[in-house]
Amino acid sequence: MLQDASIEAVRAKFRGELITPADKGYEDARKVYNGMIDRRPRLILKCVDVADVMAAVAFARENGLLLAIRGGGHNGAGLGVCDDGLVIDLSRMRGVRVDPAARTVRAEGGCKWGDVDHATHPFGLATPSGFISTTGVAGLTLGGGIGYLTRKYGLTIDNLLAVDLVLADGRFVTASAEENTDLFWAVRGGGGNFGVATSFLFQLHPVGTVHAGPMLWPLEQATEVMQFFRDFIARAPEEMNGFFAFLTVPPGPPFPQHLHNHKMCGIVWCYCGPAEKVEEAFKPIRSFRPPSLEMVGPLPFPVVQSMFDALYAPGLQWYWRADFVNELSDEAIAQHIKHGSALPTMHSTMHLYPIDGAVHKVGRQETAFSYRESKLAEVIVGVDPDPANNSKITNWCKNYFDALHPYSAGGAYVNFMMEEGQERVRATYGDNYARLADIKRKYDPTNLFRVNQNILPAETTQTAQGLS
Ligand SMILES: Cc1cc2nc3c(=O)[nH]c(=O)nc-3n(C[C@H](O)[C@H](O)[C@H](O)COP(=O)(O)OP(=O)(O)OC[C@H]3O[C@@H](n4cnc5c(N)ncnc54)[C@H](O)[C@@H]3O)c2cc1C
Protein backbone atom coordinates (compact mmCIF):
# COMPACT_ATOMS: atom_id res chain seq x y z
CA MET A 1 0.00 0.00 0.00
CA LEU A 2 1.03 3.59 -0.55
CA GLN A 3 2.12 5.33 2.60
CA ASP A 4 -0.47 7.71 4.03
CA ALA A 5 2.24 10.38 4.23
CA SER A 6 2.93 10.27 0.48
CA ILE A 7 -0.79 10.40 -0.32
CA GLU A 8 -1.14 13.40 1.97
CA ALA A 9 1.82 15.04 0.21
CA VAL A 10 0.15 14.78 -3.19
CA ARG A 11 -3.20 15.84 -1.74
CA ALA A 12 -1.62 19.12 -0.65
CA LYS A 13 -0.66 19.91 -4.26
CA PHE A 14 -3.84 18.67 -5.86
CA ARG A 15 -7.16 20.39 -6.60
CA GLY A 16 -8.90 17.37 -8.15
CA GLU A 17 -10.14 14.16 -6.53
CA LEU A 18 -7.94 11.45 -4.98
CA ILE A 19 -9.53 8.03 -4.90
CA THR A 20 -8.03 5.07 -3.04
CA PRO A 21 -9.44 1.53 -2.68
CA ALA A 22 -10.87 2.63 0.67
CA ASP A 23 -13.01 5.35 -0.92
CA LYS A 24 -16.69 4.98 -1.81
CA GLY A 25 -16.23 6.01 -5.44
CA TYR A 26 -13.39 3.53 -6.09
CA GLU A 27 -15.41 0.74 -7.71
CA ASP A 28 -16.92 3.15 -10.24
CA ALA A 29 -13.71 5.08 -10.82
CA ARG A 30 -11.68 1.99 -11.75
CA LYS A 31 -14.19 0.85 -14.39
CA VAL A 32 -13.39 1.45 -18.05
CA TYR A 33 -15.61 1.12 -21.11
CA ASN A 34 -14.72 -2.55 -21.74
CA GLY A 35 -16.49 -4.56 -19.04
CA MET A 36 -13.97 -7.39 -19.51
CA ILE A 37 -11.26 -5.26 -17.90
CA ASP A 38 -11.05 -5.65 -14.13
CA ARG A 39 -8.02 -3.80 -12.76
CA ARG A 40 -7.38 -2.41 -9.30
CA PRO A 41 -5.10 0.63 -9.17
CA ARG A 42 -3.67 1.79 -5.84
CA LEU A 43 -4.65 5.38 -6.48
CA ILE A 44 -6.76 7.29 -9.00
CA LEU A 45 -6.05 10.99 -9.42
CA LYS A 46 -8.88 12.82 -11.15
CA CYS A 47 -7.06 15.92 -12.36
CA VAL A 48 -8.83 19.22 -12.98
CA ASP A 49 -5.98 21.17 -14.57
CA VAL A 50 -2.45 20.99 -15.92
CA ALA A 51 -0.96 21.66 -12.48
CA ASP A 52 -2.74 18.55 -11.18
CA VAL A 53 -1.35 16.50 -14.05
CA MET A 54 2.17 17.78 -13.26
CA ALA A 55 1.75 16.84 -9.61
CA ALA A 56 0.44 13.40 -10.55
CA VAL A 57 3.28 12.65 -12.99
CA ALA A 58 5.83 13.75 -10.38
CA PHE A 59 4.15 11.55 -7.77
CA ALA A 60 4.30 8.49 -10.04
CA ARG A 61 7.93 9.12 -10.97
CA GLU A 62 9.12 9.81 -7.42
CA ASN A 63 7.35 6.79 -5.97
CA GLY A 64 8.26 4.39 -8.78
CA LEU A 65 4.61 3.71 -9.50
CA LEU A 66 3.22 2.04 -12.58
CA LEU A 67 1.29 4.80 -14.34
CA ALA A 68 -1.80 4.60 -16.55
CA ILE A 69 -3.42 7.57 -18.30
CA ARG A 70 -7.13 7.61 -18.79
CA GLY A 71 -8.60 9.89 -21.45
CA GLY A 72 -12.00 8.57 -22.50
CA GLY A 73 -11.43 5.10 -21.00
CA HIS A 74 -12.51 3.47 -24.27
CA ASN A 75 -9.44 1.46 -25.09
CA GLY A 76 -10.29 -2.15 -25.91
CA ALA A 77 -7.26 -3.49 -24.06
CA GLY A 78 -8.14 -1.36 -21.05
CA LEU A 79 -4.93 0.69 -21.24
CA GLY A 80 -6.57 3.59 -19.41
CA VAL A 81 -6.26 1.70 -16.10
CA CYS A 82 -3.65 -0.53 -14.42
CA ASP A 83 -3.30 -2.97 -11.56
CA ASP A 84 -1.44 -1.86 -8.49
CA GLY A 85 -0.36 1.56 -9.78
CA LEU A 86 -1.53 5.12 -10.31
CA VAL A 87 -4.18 6.25 -12.78
CA ILE A 88 -4.12 9.81 -14.06
CA ASP A 89 -7.78 10.26 -14.91
CA LEU A 90 -8.58 13.26 -17.12
CA SER A 91 -12.36 12.83 -17.15
CA ARG A 92 -12.81 16.16 -15.34
CA MET A 93 -10.81 18.03 -17.97
CA ARG A 94 -13.39 18.31 -20.73
CA GLY A 95 -13.31 21.97 -21.70
CA VAL A 96 -13.71 22.81 -25.40
CA ARG A 97 -13.20 26.19 -27.06
CA VAL A 98 -14.06 26.88 -30.68
CA ASP A 99 -12.44 29.71 -32.60
CA PRO A 100 -14.86 30.13 -35.51
CA ALA A 101 -12.76 32.79 -37.23
CA ALA A 102 -9.60 30.68 -37.26
CA ARG A 103 -11.68 27.51 -37.75
CA THR A 104 -9.97 25.69 -34.91
CA VAL A 105 -11.07 23.92 -31.76
CA ARG A 106 -9.11 23.33 -28.57
CA ALA A 107 -10.17 20.29 -26.56
CA GLU A 108 -8.86 19.29 -23.14
CA GLY A 109 -7.31 15.85 -22.66
CA GLY A 110 -10.34 14.22 -21.03
CA CYS A 111 -12.86 15.18 -23.72
CA LYS A 112 -14.97 12.67 -25.56
CA TRP A 113 -15.77 13.30 -29.21
CA GLY A 114 -19.36 14.13 -28.30
CA ASP A 115 -18.04 17.12 -26.33
CA VAL A 116 -16.20 18.40 -29.38
CA ASP A 117 -19.04 17.77 -31.86
CA HIS A 118 -21.48 19.53 -29.53
CA ALA A 119 -19.26 22.61 -29.41
CA THR A 120 -18.35 22.83 -33.10
CA HIS A 121 -21.70 21.94 -34.74
CA PRO A 122 -23.45 25.27 -34.01
CA PHE A 123 -20.74 26.89 -36.14
CA GLY A 124 -21.32 24.40 -38.98
CA LEU A 125 -17.85 23.01 -38.37
CA ALA A 126 -16.32 19.63 -37.51
CA THR A 127 -12.99 17.83 -37.39
CA PRO A 128 -12.44 14.19 -38.36
CA SER A 129 -12.80 11.80 -35.42
CA GLY A 130 -14.29 8.29 -35.36
CA PHE A 131 -17.62 6.51 -35.80
CA ILE A 132 -19.01 6.90 -32.28
CA SER A 133 -19.20 9.91 -29.97
CA THR A 134 -18.27 8.30 -26.65
CA THR A 135 -14.63 7.60 -27.55
CA GLY A 136 -11.95 9.72 -25.91
CA VAL A 137 -10.36 12.50 -27.95
CA ALA A 138 -6.93 11.75 -26.47
CA GLY A 139 -6.53 8.03 -27.11
CA LEU A 140 -8.20 8.16 -30.52
CA THR A 141 -6.09 11.11 -31.68
CA LEU A 142 -2.75 9.87 -30.39
CA GLY A 143 -3.28 6.57 -32.24
CA GLY A 144 -4.36 8.19 -35.54
CA GLY A 145 -8.14 8.54 -35.71
CA ILE A 146 -10.22 6.83 -38.40
CA GLY A 147 -13.78 8.04 -38.93
CA TYR A 148 -16.61 9.30 -41.13
CA LEU A 149 -14.65 12.28 -42.47
CA THR A 150 -11.36 10.48 -43.08
CA ARG A 151 -11.56 10.14 -46.87
CA LYS A 152 -12.24 13.85 -47.29
CA TYR A 153 -10.22 15.45 -44.50
CA GLY A 154 -7.74 12.76 -43.43
CA LEU A 155 -7.03 11.07 -40.13
CA THR A 156 -7.62 12.97 -36.91
CA ILE A 157 -3.85 13.48 -36.62
CA ASP A 158 -3.81 15.11 -40.05
CA ASN A 159 -5.95 17.86 -38.51
CA LEU A 160 -3.97 18.18 -35.30
CA LEU A 161 -2.26 21.57 -35.16
CA ALA A 162 -0.74 21.38 -31.70
CA VAL A 163 -0.81 19.35 -28.52
CA ASP A 164 0.16 20.31 -24.97
CA LEU A 165 1.90 17.62 -22.95
CA VAL A 166 3.28 17.00 -19.50
CA LEU A 167 6.47 15.00 -20.03
CA ALA A 168 7.97 12.27 -17.83
CA ASP A 169 10.45 14.75 -16.30
CA GLY A 170 7.57 17.05 -15.37
CA ARG A 171 8.09 19.71 -18.06
CA PHE A 172 5.04 21.16 -19.80
CA VAL A 173 5.59 21.55 -23.54
CA THR A 174 3.71 22.21 -26.74
CA ALA A 175 4.36 20.07 -29.79
CA SER A 176 3.45 21.42 -33.20
CA ALA A 177 4.91 21.98 -36.67
CA GLU A 178 6.98 24.80 -35.11
CA GLU A 179 7.84 23.54 -31.62
CA ASN A 180 9.28 20.20 -30.51
CA THR A 181 8.77 18.88 -34.00
CA ASP A 182 10.17 15.42 -33.26
CA LEU A 183 7.63 15.02 -30.50
CA PHE A 184 4.87 16.29 -32.78
CA TRP A 185 5.85 13.67 -35.34
CA ALA A 186 5.78 10.91 -32.69
CA VAL A 187 2.46 11.74 -31.03
CA ARG A 188 0.70 11.61 -34.39
CA GLY A 189 0.24 7.83 -34.22
CA GLY A 190 2.61 6.86 -31.41
CA GLY A 191 -0.12 6.73 -28.73
CA GLY A 192 0.34 7.70 -25.09
CA ASN A 193 4.05 6.83 -25.06
CA PHE A 194 5.47 10.35 -24.81
CA GLY A 195 3.60 12.26 -22.14
CA VAL A 196 0.19 13.19 -20.78
CA ALA A 197 -1.64 15.22 -23.42
CA THR A 198 -3.57 17.94 -21.61
CA SER A 199 -5.05 19.66 -24.66
CA PHE A 200 -5.31 19.35 -28.42
CA LEU A 201 -5.75 22.01 -31.09
CA PHE A 202 -7.53 20.83 -34.24
CA GLN A 203 -8.32 22.31 -37.64
CA LEU A 204 -12.05 22.49 -38.36
CA HIS A 205 -13.89 22.09 -41.67
CA PRO A 206 -17.30 23.15 -42.92
CA VAL A 207 -19.37 20.07 -42.03
CA GLY A 208 -22.91 20.59 -40.74
CA THR A 209 -25.57 18.33 -42.27
CA VAL A 210 -24.36 15.13 -43.89
CA HIS A 211 -26.25 12.42 -45.80
CA ALA A 212 -25.73 9.30 -43.84
CA GLY A 213 -27.07 6.02 -42.51
CA PRO A 214 -26.96 2.29 -43.09
CA MET A 215 -28.03 0.15 -46.04
CA LEU A 216 -28.52 -3.52 -45.21
CA TRP A 217 -28.54 -6.57 -47.48
CA PRO A 218 -29.24 -10.27 -46.79
CA LEU A 219 -26.24 -12.30 -45.69
CA GLU A 220 -26.61 -14.47 -48.80
CA GLN A 221 -25.55 -11.46 -50.87
CA ALA A 222 -22.52 -10.64 -48.72
CA THR A 223 -19.92 -11.71 -51.32
CA GLU A 224 -21.35 -9.34 -53.93
CA VAL A 225 -21.83 -6.53 -51.39
CA MET A 226 -18.26 -6.83 -50.17
CA GLN A 227 -16.91 -6.88 -53.72
CA PHE A 228 -19.05 -3.87 -54.59
CA PHE A 229 -17.83 -2.02 -51.48
CA ARG A 230 -14.19 -2.80 -52.31
CA ASP A 231 -14.49 -1.62 -55.92
CA PHE A 232 -16.81 1.34 -55.33
CA ILE A 233 -15.09 2.95 -52.36
CA ALA A 234 -11.68 2.92 -54.08
CA ARG A 235 -13.06 5.20 -56.81
CA ALA A 236 -15.72 7.14 -54.93
CA PRO A 237 -15.41 10.89 -54.46
CA GLU A 238 -13.61 11.75 -51.22
CA GLU A 239 -16.80 13.26 -49.79
CA MET A 240 -18.29 9.75 -49.75
CA ASN A 241 -17.35 7.55 -46.83
CA GLY A 242 -18.74 4.18 -45.91
CA PHE A 243 -17.76 1.19 -43.85
CA PHE A 244 -18.73 -2.41 -44.50
CA ALA A 245 -20.16 -4.41 -41.59
CA PHE A 246 -21.39 -7.86 -40.69
CA LEU A 247 -24.06 -7.25 -38.09
CA THR A 248 -27.17 -8.51 -36.37
CA VAL A 249 -30.19 -6.21 -36.67
CA PRO A 250 -30.99 -5.00 -33.13
CA PRO A 251 -34.42 -6.11 -31.92
CA GLY A 252 -36.05 -2.71 -31.58
CA PRO A 253 -36.91 0.57 -33.26
CA PRO A 254 -36.02 2.10 -35.68
CA PHE A 255 -35.50 -1.31 -37.34
CA PRO A 256 -38.56 -3.06 -38.85
CA GLN A 257 -39.73 -6.06 -36.86
CA HIS A 258 -39.33 -8.56 -39.70
CA LEU A 259 -35.56 -7.92 -39.68
CA HIS A 260 -35.05 -8.06 -35.91
CA ASN A 261 -32.22 -10.40 -34.88
CA HIS A 262 -31.39 -11.22 -38.51
CA LYS A 263 -27.71 -11.50 -39.35
CA MET A 264 -27.07 -9.25 -42.32
CA CYS A 265 -24.33 -7.33 -44.03
CA GLY A 266 -24.39 -3.61 -44.54
CA ILE A 267 -22.60 -0.44 -45.45
CA VAL A 268 -22.92 2.63 -43.24
CA TRP A 269 -22.59 5.66 -45.49
CA CYS A 270 -21.68 9.25 -44.73
CA TYR A 271 -21.58 11.79 -47.55
CA CYS A 272 -20.20 15.19 -46.52
CA GLY A 273 -20.35 16.91 -49.92
CA PRO A 274 -22.81 19.56 -51.13
CA ALA A 275 -26.54 18.74 -50.90
CA GLU A 276 -27.08 19.25 -54.64
CA LYS A 277 -24.61 16.44 -55.40
CA VAL A 278 -26.15 13.83 -53.07
CA GLU A 279 -28.31 12.14 -55.71
CA GLU A 280 -25.39 11.84 -58.10
CA ALA A 281 -23.09 10.52 -55.36
CA PHE A 282 -25.54 7.79 -54.31
CA LYS A 283 -26.58 6.85 -57.88
CA PRO A 284 -24.00 4.06 -58.41
CA ILE A 285 -24.84 2.68 -54.96
CA ARG A 286 -28.57 2.65 -55.61
CA SER A 287 -28.08 1.03 -58.99
CA PHE A 288 -25.95 -1.79 -57.49
CA ARG A 289 -28.86 -3.72 -56.02
CA PRO A 290 -31.74 -2.69 -53.78
CA PRO A 291 -30.98 -3.16 -50.08
CA SER A 292 -33.45 -4.87 -47.73
CA LEU A 293 -33.35 -1.70 -45.65
CA GLU A 294 -32.10 1.79 -46.38
CA MET A 295 -31.94 4.45 -43.68
CA VAL A 296 -29.83 7.09 -45.46
CA GLY A 297 -30.95 10.69 -45.10
CA PRO A 298 -29.86 14.20 -44.17
CA LEU A 299 -28.64 14.30 -40.57
CA PRO A 300 -26.73 16.74 -38.38
CA PHE A 301 -23.17 15.46 -38.10
CA PRO A 302 -23.34 14.96 -34.28
CA VAL A 303 -26.40 12.71 -34.78
CA VAL A 304 -24.44 10.52 -37.17
CA GLN A 305 -21.52 10.43 -34.76
CA SER A 306 -23.75 9.22 -31.94
CA MET A 307 -25.91 6.80 -33.96
CA PHE A 308 -24.30 3.73 -32.34
CA ASP A 309 -23.80 5.13 -28.82
CA ALA A 310 -26.88 3.50 -27.31
CA LEU A 311 -26.25 0.10 -28.90
CA TYR A 312 -22.69 0.07 -27.59
CA ALA A 313 -23.26 1.38 -24.08
CA PRO A 314 -20.35 1.25 -21.59
CA GLY A 315 -19.79 -1.96 -19.65
CA LEU A 316 -20.21 -4.58 -22.38
CA GLN A 317 -17.60 -7.32 -22.70
CA TRP A 318 -15.31 -6.67 -25.69
CA TYR A 319 -12.58 -8.65 -27.39
CA TRP A 320 -10.83 -7.07 -30.40
CA ARG A 321 -8.54 -8.11 -33.24
CA ALA A 322 -7.53 -6.04 -36.23
CA ASP A 323 -5.24 -5.58 -39.22
CA PHE A 324 -4.69 -3.20 -42.10
CA VAL A 325 -5.44 -4.55 -45.56
CA ASN A 326 -3.72 -3.59 -48.80
CA GLU A 327 -5.83 -5.69 -51.13
CA LEU A 328 -9.18 -7.32 -50.37
CA SER A 329 -8.90 -10.38 -52.60
CA ASP A 330 -11.79 -12.68 -53.49
CA GLU A 331 -10.06 -15.41 -51.41
CA ALA A 332 -10.04 -13.08 -48.38
CA ILE A 333 -13.70 -12.27 -49.02
CA ALA A 334 -14.51 -16.01 -48.94
CA GLN A 335 -12.93 -16.22 -45.47
CA HIS A 336 -14.85 -13.13 -44.36
CA ILE A 337 -18.12 -14.71 -45.47
CA LYS A 338 -17.33 -17.90 -43.55
CA HIS A 339 -16.52 -16.18 -40.26
CA GLY A 340 -18.63 -13.03 -40.61
CA SER A 341 -21.74 -15.13 -41.16
CA ALA A 342 -21.17 -16.79 -37.81
CA LEU A 343 -21.42 -13.71 -35.54
CA PRO A 344 -21.56 -15.24 -32.05
CA THR A 345 -23.78 -12.59 -30.42
CA MET A 346 -26.07 -9.69 -31.36
CA HIS A 347 -23.44 -7.01 -30.64
CA SER A 348 -20.50 -8.75 -32.32
CA THR A 349 -19.42 -7.32 -35.65
CA MET A 350 -16.68 -6.92 -38.24
CA HIS A 351 -16.01 -3.56 -39.88
CA LEU A 352 -13.88 -2.56 -42.85
CA TYR A 353 -13.01 1.15 -42.83
CA PRO A 354 -11.54 2.84 -45.90
CA ILE A 355 -7.97 4.15 -45.58
CA ASP A 356 -7.56 6.23 -48.71
CA GLY A 357 -8.45 9.64 -50.10
CA ALA A 358 -6.86 12.36 -47.97
CA VAL A 359 -4.99 9.75 -45.87
CA HIS A 360 -2.91 8.83 -48.92
CA LYS A 361 -1.90 12.44 -49.46
CA VAL A 362 0.37 12.36 -46.40
CA GLY A 363 3.54 10.30 -46.67
CA ARG A 364 4.19 7.16 -44.58
CA GLN A 365 7.08 8.86 -42.80
CA GLU A 366 5.49 12.28 -42.30
CA THR A 367 3.79 11.06 -39.11
CA ALA A 368 4.24 7.97 -36.94
CA PHE A 369 1.09 6.39 -38.43
CA SER A 370 2.67 3.97 -40.87
CA TYR A 371 -0.09 2.25 -42.83
CA ARG A 372 -0.85 5.27 -45.04
CA GLU A 373 -0.64 3.13 -48.14
CA SER A 374 -3.11 0.47 -47.04
CA LYS A 375 -6.68 0.48 -48.36
CA LEU A 376 -8.73 -0.73 -45.44
CA ALA A 377 -8.62 -1.08 -41.67
CA GLU A 378 -10.28 -4.32 -40.59
CA VAL A 379 -11.59 -4.73 -37.06
CA ILE A 380 -13.23 -7.83 -35.65
CA VAL A 381 -14.98 -7.41 -32.33
CA GLY A 382 -16.69 -10.01 -30.19
CA VAL A 383 -19.12 -8.13 -27.93
CA ASP A 384 -21.76 -9.20 -25.44
CA PRO A 385 -23.27 -7.97 -22.17
CA ASP A 386 -22.87 -11.36 -20.46
CA PRO A 387 -19.41 -12.33 -19.12
CA ALA A 388 -20.51 -15.97 -19.40
CA ASN A 389 -20.08 -15.57 -23.17
CA ASN A 390 -16.50 -14.31 -22.97
CA SER A 391 -14.86 -17.42 -24.33
CA LYS A 392 -17.47 -17.64 -27.10
CA ILE A 393 -16.82 -14.08 -28.35
CA THR A 394 -13.06 -14.33 -27.83
CA ASN A 395 -12.69 -17.63 -29.69
CA TRP A 396 -14.78 -16.43 -32.62
CA CYS A 397 -12.74 -13.24 -32.84
CA LYS A 398 -9.37 -15.04 -32.67
CA ASN A 399 -10.38 -17.66 -35.25
CA TYR A 400 -11.69 -14.98 -37.60
CA PHE A 401 -8.49 -12.96 -37.21
CA ASP A 402 -6.27 -16.03 -37.76
CA ALA A 403 -8.11 -16.83 -40.99
CA LEU A 404 -7.72 -13.27 -42.35
CA HIS A 405 -4.27 -12.34 -41.04
CA PRO A 406 -2.44 -14.04 -43.95
CA TYR A 407 -4.30 -11.67 -46.32
CA SER A 408 -3.42 -8.55 -44.29
CA ALA A 409 -0.76 -5.87 -44.66
CA GLY A 410 0.94 -7.31 -41.56
CA GLY A 411 0.10 -4.91 -38.76
CA ALA A 412 -2.91 -3.34 -37.10
CA TYR A 413 -4.24 0.08 -36.21
CA VAL A 414 -2.85 0.63 -32.73
CA ASN A 415 -6.24 1.68 -31.35
CA PHE A 416 -7.91 -1.58 -32.39
CA MET A 417 -5.45 -3.87 -30.61
CA MET A 418 -5.54 -5.86 -27.41
CA GLU A 419 -2.27 -6.45 -25.54
CA GLU A 420 -0.67 -8.61 -28.22
CA GLY A 421 3.05 -8.27 -27.49
CA GLN A 422 6.04 -6.31 -28.82
CA GLU A 423 6.08 -8.02 -32.20
CA ARG A 424 2.61 -6.70 -32.97
CA VAL A 425 3.52 -3.20 -31.76
CA ARG A 426 6.51 -3.26 -34.11
CA ALA A 427 4.30 -4.51 -36.93
CA THR A 428 2.04 -1.50 -36.32
CA TYR A 429 4.86 0.97 -36.83
CA GLY A 430 7.00 -0.85 -39.40
CA ASP A 431 9.93 1.30 -40.51
CA ASN A 432 8.80 4.18 -38.27
CA TYR A 433 9.52 2.12 -35.13
CA ALA A 434 13.24 2.94 -34.88
CA ARG A 435 12.58 6.70 -35.02
CA LEU A 436 9.81 6.34 -32.44
CA ALA A 437 12.20 4.44 -30.15
CA ASP A 438 14.78 7.24 -30.47
CA ILE A 439 12.20 9.89 -29.63
CA LYS A 440 10.96 7.76 -26.74
CA ARG A 441 14.50 7.62 -25.35
CA LYS A 442 14.74 11.41 -25.57
CA TYR A 443 11.42 12.19 -23.87
CA ASP A 444 10.80 9.13 -21.67
CA PRO A 445 14.08 7.25 -21.17
CA THR A 446 12.84 5.28 -18.16
CA ASN A 447 9.61 4.26 -19.89
CA LEU A 448 7.39 5.89 -17.26
CA PHE A 449 4.58 5.90 -19.84
CA ARG A 450 4.37 2.18 -20.55
CA VAL A 451 0.72 1.26 -19.98
CA ASN A 452 0.02 1.54 -23.69
CA GLN A 453 1.05 -0.17 -26.95
CA ASN A 454 4.55 0.31 -25.72
CA ILE A 455 7.42 1.71 -27.73
CA LEU A 456 10.62 0.77 -25.92
CA PRO A 457 13.24 3.53 -25.50
CA ALA A 458 15.98 2.96 -28.10
CA GLU A 459 18.64 1.44 -25.81
CA THR A 460 16.21 -1.09 -24.43
CA THR A 461 15.19 -1.87 -27.99
CA GLN A 462 18.80 -2.58 -28.95
CA THR A 463 19.24 -4.80 -25.91
CA ALA A 464 16.05 -6.65 -26.75
CA GLN A 465 17.19 -7.09 -30.34
CA GLY A 466 20.60 -8.29 -29.15
CA LEU A 467 18.97 -10.91 -26.96
CA SER A 468 16.62 -12.21 -29.58
C1 LIG B 1 -17.00 1.49 -29.24
C2 LIG B 1 -15.70 1.96 -29.78
C3 LIG B 1 -15.65 2.59 -31.00
C4 LIG B 1 -14.45 3.04 -31.52
N1 LIG B 1 -14.44 3.65 -32.72
C5 LIG B 1 -13.29 4.14 -33.22
C6 LIG B 1 -13.27 4.84 -34.44
O1 LIG B 1 -14.30 5.02 -35.06
N2 LIG B 1 -12.10 5.33 -34.90
C7 LIG B 1 -10.94 5.17 -34.22
O2 LIG B 1 -9.91 5.66 -34.69
N3 LIG B 1 -10.92 4.48 -33.06
C8 LIG B 1 -12.06 3.98 -32.55
N4 LIG B 1 -12.06 3.29 -31.38
C9 LIG B 1 -10.78 2.98 -30.75
C10 LIG B 1 -10.32 4.12 -29.89
O3 LIG B 1 -9.65 5.05 -30.70
C11 LIG B 1 -9.35 3.62 -28.84
O4 LIG B 1 -10.05 2.73 -28.00
C12 LIG B 1 -8.72 4.74 -28.03
O5 LIG B 1 -7.64 4.21 -27.31
C13 LIG B 1 -9.71 5.36 -27.10
O6 LIG B 1 -9.20 6.51 -26.52
P1 LIG B 1 -9.61 6.89 -25.02
O7 LIG B 1 -8.98 8.16 -24.68
O8 LIG B 1 -11.08 6.76 -24.88
O9 LIG B 1 -8.94 5.66 -24.28
P2 LIG B 1 -8.25 5.38 -22.86
O10 LIG B 1 -8.67 4.00 -22.51
O11 LIG B 1 -8.54 6.45 -21.89
O12 LIG B 1 -6.74 5.43 -23.24
C14 LIG B 1 -6.23 4.68 -24.31
C15 LIG B 1 -4.74 4.85 -24.47
O13 LIG B 1 -4.44 6.20 -24.75
C16 LIG B 1 -3.59 6.75 -23.77
N5 LIG B 1 -4.11 8.05 -23.37
C17 LIG B 1 -5.40 8.36 -23.08
N6 LIG B 1 -5.50 9.66 -22.78
C18 LIG B 1 -4.26 10.18 -22.89
C19 LIG B 1 -3.71 11.46 -22.71
N7 LIG B 1 -4.47 12.49 -22.37
N8 LIG B 1 -2.39 11.64 -22.91
C20 LIG B 1 -1.59 10.62 -23.26
N9 LIG B 1 -2.06 9.37 -23.44
C21 LIG B 1 -3.37 9.16 -23.25
C22 LIG B 1 -3.61 5.79 -22.60
O14 LIG B 1 -2.36 5.73 -21.98
C23 LIG B 1 -3.93 4.47 -23.25
O15 LIG B 1 -2.75 3.83 -23.68
C24 LIG B 1 -13.25 2.84 -30.81
C25 LIG B 1 -13.31 2.23 -29.55
C26 LIG B 1 -14.51 1.79 -29.05
C27 LIG B 1 -14.54 1.09 -27.73
Side-chain angles (χ1 to χ4, degrees), residues 33 69-76 79-80 90 109 130-132 135-136 138-140 142 145-146 192 195-197 318 320 413 415-416 451-452:
Y33 178 84
I69 311 162
R70 181 199 172 109
H74 248 242
N75 189 264
L79 297 172
L90 299 178
F131 296 93
I132 196 160
T135 328
L140 181 138
L142 296 169
I146 300 168
V196 185
W318 288 73
W320 302 64
Y413 174 40
N415 275 340
F416 290 162
V451 181
N452 45 42

Side-chain angles (χ1 to χ4, degrees), residues 23-357:
D23 290 316
K24 214 166 67 202
Y26 178 77
E27 286 305 318
D28 253 2
R30 73 183 183 88
K31 279 187 196 147
V32 288
Y33 178 84
N34 184 355
M36 214 185 262
I37 307 297
D38 179 22
R39 297 195 182 130
R40 305 188 69 84
R42 288 196 221 175
L43 181 63
I44 299 168
L45 291 174
K46 290 200 174 192
C47 303
V48 295
D49 59 17
V50 172
D52 273 359
V53 175
M54 290 166 114
V57 169
F59 183 68
R61 191 183 59 241
E62 286 157 14
N63 290 278
L65 290 172
L66 184 65
L67 171 62
I69 311 162
R70 181 199 172 109
H74 248 242
N75 189 264
L79 297 172
V81 64
C82 60
D83 268 327
D84 211 24
L86 168 67
V87 175
I88 293 185
D89 180 328
L90 299 178
S91 60
R92 291 178 62 182
M93 291 176 63
R94 289 171 70 172
V96 183
R97 185 175 189 280
V98 180
D99 182 338
R103 284 196 173 167
T104 60
V105 61
R106 183 170 283 286
E108 279 191 296
C111 282
K112 303 206 176 186
W113 280 107
D115 301 328
V116 176
D117 295 333
H118 173 78
T120 61
H121 185 68
F123 300 99
L125 299 168
T127 198
S129 51
F131 296 93
I132 196 160
S133 83
T134 54
T135 328
V137 168
L140 181 138
T141 302
L142 296 169
I146 300 168
Y148 283 118
L149 303 178
T150 297
R151 296 192 74 242
K152 175 71 179 163
Y153 296 114
L155 300 169
T156 306
I157 49 171
D158 300 335
N159 297 275
L160 183 64
L161 300 173
V163 53
D164 290 341
L165 293 136
V166 175
L167 302 178
D169 63 8
R171 276 183 300 145
F172 174 73
V173 298
T174 296
S176 70
E178 287 80 38
E179 279 178 87
N180 299 302
T181 51
D182 54 352
L183 188 57
F184 191 51
W185 179 87
V187 296
R188 285 178 293 161
N193 272 283
F194 302 94
V196 185
T198 54
S199 91
F200 298 84
L201 183 68
F202 296 104
Q203 185 69 59
L204 292 169
H205 304 279
V207 178
T209 297
V210 292
H211 284 73
M215 288 184 190
L216 305 184
W217 289 268
L219 212 46
E220 298 69 42
Q221 297 180 21
T223 301
E224 293 76 19
V225 176
M226 224 174 196
Q227 288 168 337
F228 165 75
F229 171 73
R230 171 191 67 193
D231 300 339
F232 170 77
I233 206 73
R235 292 183 195 91
E238 287 176 3
E239 290 78 10
M240 180 62 82
N241 209 315
F243 69 86
F244 176 94
F246 285 113
L247 55 97
T248 307
V249 178
F255 299 98
Q257 204 164 4
H258 71 278
L259 293 180
H260 286 179
N261 292 314
H262 280 233
K263 287 181 183 147
M264 301 190 81
C265 68
I267 303 175
V268 181
W269 300 107
C270 179
Y271 176 75
C272 66
E276 62 276 13
K277 294 227 169 129
V278 172
E279 283 308 312
E280 188 190 325
F282 278 92
K283 204 167 159 199
I285 303 169
R286 297 214 163 96
S287 58
F288 159 60
R289 61 177 60 187
S292 312
L293 180 70
E294 172 176 342
M295 300 172 82
V296 176
L299 290 170
F301 185 65
V303 172
V304 178
Q305 282 280 89
S306 50
M307 208 154 48
F308 298 106
D309 289 6
L311 182 62
Y312 290 110
L316 302 176
Q317 313 286 307
W318 288 73
Y319 190 85
W320 302 64
R321 280 295 165 94
D323 264 323
F324 285 105
V325 178
N326 287 341
E327 209 55 65
L328 184 62
S329 65
D330 287 348
E331 294 78 38
I333 289 180
Q335 290 297 325
H336 272 296
I337 304 302
K338 180 176 166 200
H339 293 273
S341 304
L343 298 172
T345 59
M346 194 274 281
H347 290 85
S348 297
T349 187
M350 190 289 298
H351 292 175
L352 288 173
Y353 302 114
I355 303 291
D356 55 17

Side-chain angles (χ1 to χ4, degrees), residues 460-468:
T460 324
T461 308
Q462 277 151 17
T463 312
Q465 276 170 345
L467 289 173
S468 65

